[in-house]
Amino acid sequence: MSTLTVELDERSYPIFIESNLFTQPNALTAHIKSKKVVIISNEVVAPLYLDVIDNALAGFNVSHIILPDGEQHKNLQSFEVVISKLLSMSASRDTTLIALGGGVIGDLTGFVAACYQRGMPFIQIPTTLLSQVDSSVGGKTAVNHPLGKNMIGAFYQPKAVLIDISSLSTLPAREFSAGMAEVIKYGVIYDYNFFVWLEENQQAIKQQDTAALSYMIKRCCEIKAEIVAIDERESGLRAILNLGHTFGHAIEAEQGYGNWLHGEAVSTGIVLASAVATKKDWLNASEFSRIESLLQAFDLPTLAPSDMTYDDFIQHMRHDKKVFDGQLFFVIPKGIGKAVVTNDITDEILHTVLS
Ligand code: NAD
Ligand code: GLY
């Protein structure tokens, strides 16, 4: 088993990565300090993995809250449903919540955990590639608002993250690809050698070779843990993790949440940010093409929706969390393996790239 730690003083927590982790009860129970546990999952994941988690929790007082599936349910209505159910179950501030599912369940559960009675412990059990390499680590929790994605939320760290690689075997191929956008992101922003490793190991990754997936997920979690330990609340470095997200969130909002998967929108966003980088001579044509090709190799989109205009992008991006003093900041690659956060992008460059 690989074990990493997110180093945040008294809020530090472990990330466990292994195949068949769900069948090892101690991995989970060691992090639960309460008798009462509430598992939050959805109608797709619960039939697949709820039983095995329930079995691991023999001896605890376990309840379930099962939500409808989909990004469109990551909203204040679902938040209220969960809070009401917790109240009707007489959950208390020391009850442990378990998020069993992808990033939607993880973000929503984390936000509930941050708010219910001003904070209760929660554990992340991510079951999509995207949530295993990104959303379950780092304590960003949120729900969407019709005017913008993740607009209502909190920084709130879990007590532990349990990643069972074998749960990816049931994940639809399109969702696996979406997760690869966030994986490739780490190579582009932080680790050139990892980018090369991804280029060289495409086949093993696509075949879901256990050793390849273990290494890949571990490297992503290592990078994320390192960045979060330096800048938990995104006052600087952490913003680079949002490569592709400013453009991507605009695509998601314009198309209606759930139509483009988050990872698909991020993939196109990475290409748009890379195109901006070429205009500033921060990426050469060959580097641009390697980024685009790697995303395409995992069946990810690299072109914005054909009906989406420059004005559509700008309208959505005005609500981005990277607007400071009315100025919009972008994460832009500087070579492969490094990225910067900048507002020094002319309207002319944006026009050329987005038109
Ligand atoms: P998701 O949670 O919607 O899961 C994708 C689909 O896969 C869903 O239909 C889900 O039910 C299904 N599923 C999950 N696990 C499965 C499994 N093992 N087998 C079969 N089906 C399975 O989407 P996601 O891509 O995991 O997460 C996207 C969300 O994560 C977005 O809301 C995004 O904003 C958020 N996010 C958050 C952070 C963060 O730092 N908190 C980072 C990146 C993304
Ligand atoms: N997914 C971006 C972050 O966690 O900061």
Side-chain angles (χ1 to χ4, degrees):
M1 177 169 354
S2 295
T3 310
L4 307 171
T5 306
V6 183
E7 302 283 0
L8 289 168
D9 299 324
E10 75 284 356
R11 283 168 296 105
S12 298
Y13 55 93
I15 306 170
F16 299 105
I17 306 167
E18 211 197 85
S19 217
N20 299 315
L21 187 60
F22 292 170
T23 55
Q24 301 175 36
N26 286 346
L28 177 58
T29 56
H31 304 282
I32 301 179
K33 306 282 174 248
S34 58
K35 193 82 191 137
K36 195 169 189 139
V37 177
V38 180
I39 304 174
I40 303 184
S41 191
N42 73 25
E43 287 166 348
V44 171
V45 178
L48 296 168
Y49 299 110
L50 198 54
D51 277 354
V52 69
I53 301 295
D54 273 347
N55 289 340
L57 291 172
F60 289 83
N61 172 357
V62 182
S63 308
H64 308 139
I65 299 176
I66 309 302
L67 297 168
D69 182 37
E71 180 77 34
Q72 66 275 29
H73 298 290
K74 189 179 133 179
N75 55 24
L76 280 177
Q77 286 73 37
S78 300
F79 173 84
E80 192 178 351
V81 165
V82 176
I83 296 279
S84 302
K85 291 203 173 176
L86 289 175
L87 286 168
S88 68
M89 289 167 181
S90 305
S92 63
R93 167 186 266 187
D94 63 356
T95 298
T96 302
L97 291 189
I98 294 180
L100 174 66
V104 168
I105 288 293
D107 280 14
L108 173 67
T109 303
F111 186 46
V112 168
C115 297
Y116 187 80
Q117 299 189 1
R118 301 200 183 90
M120 66 201 298
F122 87 110
I123 292 174
Q124 289 272 18
I125 305 189
T127 59
T128 61
L129 179 59
L130 184 142
S131 56
Q132 294 183 353
V133 298
D134 192 351
S135 64
S136 63
V137 175
K140 274 192 183 176
T141 74
V143 294
N144 301 328
H145 184 279
L147 287 180
K149 202 169 147 59
N150 296 329
M151 281 294 139
I152 309 152
F155 287 98
Y156 192 71
Q157 303 294 342
K159 295 292 176 202
V161 180
L162 273 70
I163 299 175
D164 189 332
I165 290 168
S166 42
S167 65
L168 297 179
S169 63
T170 53
L171 194 66
R174 186 178 167 200
E175 297 289 351
F176 186 86
S177 289
M180 285 306 300
E182 302 280 12
V183 172
I184 293 166
K185 171 191 83 178
Y186 288 110
V188 176
I189 59 170
Y190 205 75
D191 186 347
Y192 176 75
N193 291 337
F194 183 53
F195 187 90
V196 172
W197 182 90
L198 292 170
E199 288 182 316
E200 290 172 351
N201 287 274
Q202 291 173 28
Q203 284 320 315
I205 297 165
K206 285 181 192 167
Q207 286 158 7
Q208 300 204 7
D209 171 78
T210 305
L213 287 189
S214 300
Y215 171 74
M216 181 179 87
I217 293 168
K218 180 169 168 238
R219 185 65 198 127
C220 294
C221 288
E222 270 170 3
I223 294 173
K224 182 138 189 195
E226 203 171 306
I227 291 174
V228 168
I230 294 169
D231 179 22
E232 182 185 11
R233 288 178 169 252
E234 201 172 302
S235 44
L237 176 69
R238 183 167 180 169
I240 65 170
L241 290 169
N242 296 319
L243 173 70
H245 286 58
T246 301
F247 298 118
H249 284 168
I251 295 174
E252 280 184 273
E254 177 70 16
Q255 301 298 304
Y257 295 125
N259 289 323
W260 274 55
L261 299 182
H262 175 73
E264 293 171 341
V266 166
S267 168
T268 296
I270 291 174
V271 174
L272 292 171
S274 302
V276 169
T278 60
K279 301 280 172 222
K280 292 192 71 78
D281 286 333
W282 290 350
L283 272 185
N284 61 37
S286 150
E287 289 167 325
F288 176 85
S289 146
R290 284 173 70 187
I291 293 171
E292 189 181 42
S293 302
L294 190 55
L295 292 163
Q296 285 168 346
F298 288 97
D299 301 322
L300 284 161
T302 49
L303 288 175
S306 55
D307 57 349
M308 207 169 155
T309 63
Y310 168 83
D311 288 339
D312 293 333
F313 271 102
I314 296 295
Q315 194 199 333
H316 289 293
M317 293 191 310
R318 274 202 204 104
H319 295 290
D320 194 273
K321 289 189 285 314
K322 281 184 294 308
V323 174
F324 300 107
D325 281 343
Q327 299 252 38
L328 184 54
F329 285 71
F330 294 90
V331 184
I332 307 293
K334 255 195 168 176
I336 297 177
K338 187 169 178 232
V340 293
V341 181
T342 179
N343 65 348
D344 182 21
I345 309 293
T346 61
D347 284 346
E348 193 189 349
I349 291 182
L350 274 184
H351 242 295
T352 314
V353 166
L354 295 176
S355 297

